[in-house]
């Protein structure tokens, strides 16, 4: 997107998505910057409409985690039990949204990095309806149903020693 703007290439979003797919399967998702469900290997995107406005407080503990080291510690499983969650319902109802907050890598990372576990617990104590570690870490986020509640949590947690805090809302259109 940046090169397209910088060099005034005027490439369409569809063309950028095809080019982005060569860089990584998740790249096309970020070209249009709107909520979508991805199919295939990430190249087929269908817009998701009518999402609620959610607020996130993101906490970065000040250190990175090597993804490869997390995956090496993860027990290998051939199958994963289904949760029975409806993504379609959960994206529209706040009381069901937190059902989607699952990250199998937390079992490995939170055990090895107590600071990350502590930050996640603090988000939940501050009123987050749910919380989750991003990818293999090291950031965690809490999901809030209102800007006011998120702002209060952000104000209390942003001064945590060595932590970078961010207050954002999710894309909803």
């Amino acid at each position: 997107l940046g090169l397209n703007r910088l060099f005034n290439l005027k490439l369409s979003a569809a063309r950028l998505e095809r080019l982005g797919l060569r860089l990584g399967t998740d790249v096309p998702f970020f070209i249009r910057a709107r909520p979508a469900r991805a199919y295939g290997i990430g190249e087929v995107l269908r817009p998701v409409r009518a999402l609620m406005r959610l607020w996130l407080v993101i906490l970065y503990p000040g250190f990175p985690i090597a993804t490869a080291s997390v995956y090496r510690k993860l027990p290998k499983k051939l199958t994963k039990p289904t949760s029975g969650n409806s993504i379609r319902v959960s994206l529209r109802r706040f009381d069901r949204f937190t059902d989607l907050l699952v990250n199998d890598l937390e079992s490995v990372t939170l055990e090895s990095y107590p600071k990350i576990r502590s930050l996640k617990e603090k988000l939940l104590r501050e009123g987050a309806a749910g919380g989750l570690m991003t990818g293999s870490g090291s950031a965690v986020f809490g999901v809030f149903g209102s800007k006011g509640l998120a702002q209060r949590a952000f104000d209390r947690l942003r001064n945590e020693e060595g932590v970078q805090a961010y207050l954002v809302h999710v894309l909803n259109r």
Side-chain angles (χ1 to χ4, degrees), residues 11-88:
L11 298 175
S12 68
R15 177 78 174 126
L16 290 172
E17 287 172 358
R18 286 192 302 276
L19 290 170
L21 188 59
R22 294 180 185 173
L23 298 173
T25 58
D26 59 347
V27 173
F29 180 84
F30 294 98
I31 298 295
R32 295 182 198 238
R34 67 176 187 223
R37 290 184 71 183
Y39 298 88
I41 60 167
E43 81 284 11
V44 179
L45 299 169
R46 295 203 179 105
V48 175
R49 293 178 186 16
L51 293 179
M52 67 198 110
R53 173 67 63 127
L54 296 175
W55 292 87
L56 306 178
V57 174
I58 304 168
L59 302 176
Y60 172 68
F63 56 84
I65 296 176
T67 301
S69 70
V70 172
Y71 275 96
R72 276 195 297 274
K73 294 178 186 175
L74 188 68
K76 293 172 179 48
K77 297 185 254 180
L78 293 177
T79 60
K80 181 178 180 175
T82 58
S83 64
N85 293 333
S86 167
I87 290 175
R88 189 177 309 262

Side-chain angles (χ1 to χ4, degrees), residues 36-169:
R37 290 184 71 183
Y39 298 88
I41 60 167
E43 81 284 11
V44 179
L45 299 169
R46 295 203 179 105
V48 175
R49 293 178 186 16
L51 293 179
M52 67 198 110
R53 173 67 63 127
L54 296 175
W55 292 87
L56 306 178
V57 174
I58 304 168
L59 302 176
Y60 172 68
F63 56 84
I65 296 176
T67 301
S69 70
V70 172
Y71 275 96
R72 276 195 297 274
K73 294 178 186 175
L74 188 68
K76 293 172 179 48
K77 297 185 254 180
L78 293 177
T79 60
K80 181 178 180 175
T82 58
S83 64
N85 293 333
S86 167
I87 290 175
R88 189 177 309 262
V89 170
S90 298
L91 290 175
R92 290 190 177 94
R93 289 184 37 199
F94 185 68
D95 64 322
R96 295 281 308 274
F97 179 79
T98 55
D99 293 346
L100 298 175
L101 300 180
V102 178
N103 182 344
D104 291 339
L105 299 179
E106 280 192 351
S107 65
V108 174
T109 308
L110 297 184
E111 186 177 303
S112 301
Y113 297 90
K115 177 71 171 180
I116 299 171
R117 178 185 301 279
S118 170
L119 290 175
K120 181 178 175 181
E121 289 169 353
K122 287 179 182 187
L123 284 164
L124 296 172
R125 279 196 304 270
E126 290 293 337
L132 198 63
M133 181 181 73
T134 60
S136 60
S138 62
V140 292
F141 64 90
V143 180
F144 296 85
S146 74
K147 183 179 183 182
L149 191 56
Q151 183 71 56
R152 284 189 291 281
F154 172 76
D155 289 342
R156 286 194 277 269
L157 296 171
R158 69 177 170 188
N159 296 321
E160 188 84 19
E161 187 175 338
V163 172
Q164 295 173 27
Y166 305 90
L167 174 63
V168 300
H169 65 81

